[in-house]
């Protein structure tokens, strides 16, 4: 379970870095751009992508994921800033219900009582985790924080569905697909950055680049260790799945509450508990 633990740590570190970005006046869209340049380099070094059968590559899916990744990442950064690490991590982890619903509605997978229960509890957790109330008492009023959480939920759900399609495409190794997806995400993000620089709305400076590269190491580490955990525990993938999602929610909650002093209402705390129950139910339903 060491790889699971390391993957959890990297995932939470990404949220911490996004939280710290505003404190140190980091241009987060620029940092996200350089994050993908580091992801490309590390994918090349660790996964040694193969370039056979590229004519069969699902370019449409690659492009869709490459576009969504920087966009949803940027929205996630905004969500961490206005809604906090705890709620954002819950929304991201519960996004697994989007591909789960798609498997029933689109791919015709059979529903089971455990899956139905998991979906119901999961959506209850989402409703409880959203900060419906406005922030007061010396805290900036942010009435639309729930919108960021909803976009994070559906955005990561859509990305998860697309990645499942990529994984199902056997002609090209999954890690090679990752290399191309990261490359497209970097090109798209860099194009947006250069347009901002040309219009004098941004300036490329070294601190933003360094922050982005560090963010890229943590982001890639999350994927690297998650894949290695599945390889090490190939006979029990559900354990990796549940431990990863529950671990991120738990560790993210501890960091958010005790390090960044994020305040959670009783309803929010119930939502975190329901999220963990929902993930357990979905994990059990896989057997």
């Amino acid at each position: 379970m060491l790889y699971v633990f390391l993957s959890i740590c990297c995932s939470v570190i990404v949220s911490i870095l996004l939280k710290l970005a505003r404190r140190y006046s980091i241009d987060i869209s620029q940092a996200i751009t350089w994050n993908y340049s580091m992801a490309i380099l590390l994918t090349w070094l660790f996964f040694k992508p193969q370039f056979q059968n590229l004519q069969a590559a699902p370019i449409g899916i690659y492009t869709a994921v490459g576009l969504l990744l920087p966009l949803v990442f940027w929205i996630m950064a905004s969500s961490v800033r206005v809604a906090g690490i705890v709620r954002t991590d819950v929304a991201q982890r519960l996004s697994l219900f989007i591909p789960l619903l798609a498997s029933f509605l689109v791919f015709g997978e059979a529903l089971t009582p455990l899956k139905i229960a998991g979906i119901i509890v999961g959506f209850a957790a989402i409703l409880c985790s959203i900060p419906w109330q406005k922030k007061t008492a010396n805290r900036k009023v942010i009435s639309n924080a729930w919108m960021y959480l909803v976009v994070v939920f559906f955005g990561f759900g859509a990305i998860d569905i697309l990645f499942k399609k990529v994984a199902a495409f056997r002609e090209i190794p999954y890690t090679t697909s990752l290399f191309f997806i990261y490359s497209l995400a970097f090109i798209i993000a860099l194009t947006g950055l250069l347009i901002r620089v040309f219009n004098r709305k941004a300036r490329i400076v070294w601190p933003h680049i360094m922050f982005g590269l560090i963010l890229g190491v943590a982001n890639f580490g999350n994927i690297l260790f998650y894949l290695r955990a599945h390889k090490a525990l190939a006979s029990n993938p559900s354990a990796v799945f549940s431990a990863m999602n529950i671990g991120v929610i738990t560790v993210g909650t501890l960091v958010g509450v005790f390090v960044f002093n994020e305040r959670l209402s009783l309803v929010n705390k119930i939502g975190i508990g329901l999220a963990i129950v929902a993930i357990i139910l979905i994990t059990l339903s896989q057997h």
Side-chain angles (χ1 to χ4, degrees), residues 97 100-101 113-127 274 278 281-282:
F97 291 104
L100 186 66
L101 284 173
L114 274 178
K115 288 179 181 178
I116 295 173
I119 291 171
I120 293 172
V121 174
F123 278 108
I126 294 167
L127 293 175
L274 289 175
L281 289 173
I282 293 300

Side-chain angles (χ1 to χ4, degrees), residues 19 79-89 135 149 262:
K19 184 85 170 181
S79 178
V80 168
R81 177 172 58 84
V82 301
I85 290 176
V86 180
R87 299 181 183 92
T88 302
D89 279 344
K135 296 184 178 182
L149 294 172
E262 294 180 3

Side-chain angles (χ1 to χ4, degrees), residues 7-8 10-12 14-16 18 69 72-73 76-77 79-80 84-99 126 129 148-160 219 222-223 241 244-245 248-249 275 279:
S7 183
I8 290 169
C10 287
S11 180
V12 175
V14 168
S15 295
I16 292 173
L18 295 177
L69 278 178
V72 175
F73 206 166
M76 177 185 172
S79 178
V80 168
I85 290 176
V86 180
R87 299 181 183 92
T88 302
D89 279 344
V90 170
Q92 181 186 355
R93 292 298 147 184
L94 287 179
S95 66
L96 62 94
F97 291 104
I98 301 297
I126 294 167
S129 301
Y148 291 95
L149 294 172
V150 170
V151 175
V152 166
F153 173 73
F154 284 104
F156 275 102
I159 289 172
D160 197 6
N219 199 18
N222 175 29
I223 294 174
F241 172 83
M244 178 65 191
N245 288 286
V248 169
I249 291 175
I279 290 169

Side-chain angles (χ1 to χ4, degrees), residues 6-268:
L6 292 174
S7 183
I8 290 169
C9 289
C10 287
S11 180
V12 175
I13 287 172
V14 168
S15 295
I16 292 173
L17 289 171
L18 295 177
K19 184 85 170 181
L20 293 174
R22 188 184 183 192
R23 179 179 299 179
Y24 294 102
S25 301
I26 296 296
D27 180 355
I28 195 62
S29 62
Q30 186 175 157
I32 289 172
T33 300
W34 303 119
N35 144 79
Y36 288 116
S37 68
M38 176 58 75
I40 293 169
L41 175 62
L42 294 176
T43 302
W44 179 272
L45 293 175
F46 281 90
F47 294 141
K48 303 293 188 301
Q50 303 170 19
F51 300 108
Q52 293 83 17
N53 299 325
L54 294 185
Q55 68 279 2
I59 301 299
I61 297 176
Y62 286 179
T63 304
V65 182
L67 181 62
L68 279 175
L69 278 178
L71 178 61
V72 175
F73 206 166
W74 178 80
I75 295 171
M76 177 185 172
S78 299
S79 178
V80 168
R81 177 172 58 84
V82 301
I85 290 176
V86 180
R87 299 181 183 92
T88 302
D89 279 344
V90 170
Q92 181 186 355
R93 292 298 147 184
L94 287 179
S95 66
L96 62 94
F97 291 104
I98 301 297
L100 186 66
L101 284 173
S103 67
F104 305 137
L105 301 177
V106 179
F107 302 110
E109 184 177 322
L111 278 171
T112 65
L114 274 178
K115 288 179 181 178
I116 295 173
I119 291 171
I120 293 172
V121 174
F123 278 108
I126 294 167
L127 293 175
C128 290
S129 301
I130 289 175
W132 299 105
Q133 71 281 8
K134 296 182 179 181
K135 296 184 178 182
T136 56
N138 299 324
R139 289 175 176 259
K140 184 178 181 181
V141 176
I142 304 173
S143 59
N144 62 342
W146 65 271
M147 295 174 59
Y148 291 95
L149 294 172
V150 170
V151 175
V152 166
F153 173 73
F154 284 104
F156 275 102
I159 289 172
D160 197 6
I161 291 174
L162 291 171
F163 267 124
K164 279 180 168 54
K165 285 184 170 293
V166 171
F169 194 79
R170 301 296 183 183
E171 286 81 355
I172 298 176
Y174 182 71
T175 49
T176 300
S177 294
L178 276 180
F179 177 81
F180 285 108
I181 289 170
Y182 285 145
S183 298
L184 284 170
F186 176 65
I187 292 170
I188 292 169
L190 182 61
T191 301
L193 173 59
L194 292 177
I195 291 173
R196 292 178 62 219
V197 171
F198 181 77
N199 291 327
R200 297 183 178 180
K201 294 182 179 180
R203 188 165 60 94
I204 298 177
V205 291
W206 186 244
H208 302 316
I209 296 174
M210 281 300 300
F211 193 93
L213 296 178
I214 294 170
L215 182 64
V217 171
N219 199 18
F220 178 80
N222 175 29
I223 294 174
L224 173 66
F225 293 126
Y226 186 65
L227 292 177
R228 291 196 171 178
H230 272 293
K231 186 175 181 179
L233 299 171
S235 61
N236 198 2
S238 60
V240 177
F241 172 83
S242 58
M244 178 65 191
N245 288 286
I246 292 172
V248 169
I249 291 175
T250 304
V251 176
T253 299
L254 293 174
V255 170
V257 171
F258 293 106
V259 177
F260 293 101
N261 196 30
E262 294 180 3
R263 296 182 181 179
L264 301 174
S265 66
L266 176 61
V267 174
N268 293 156

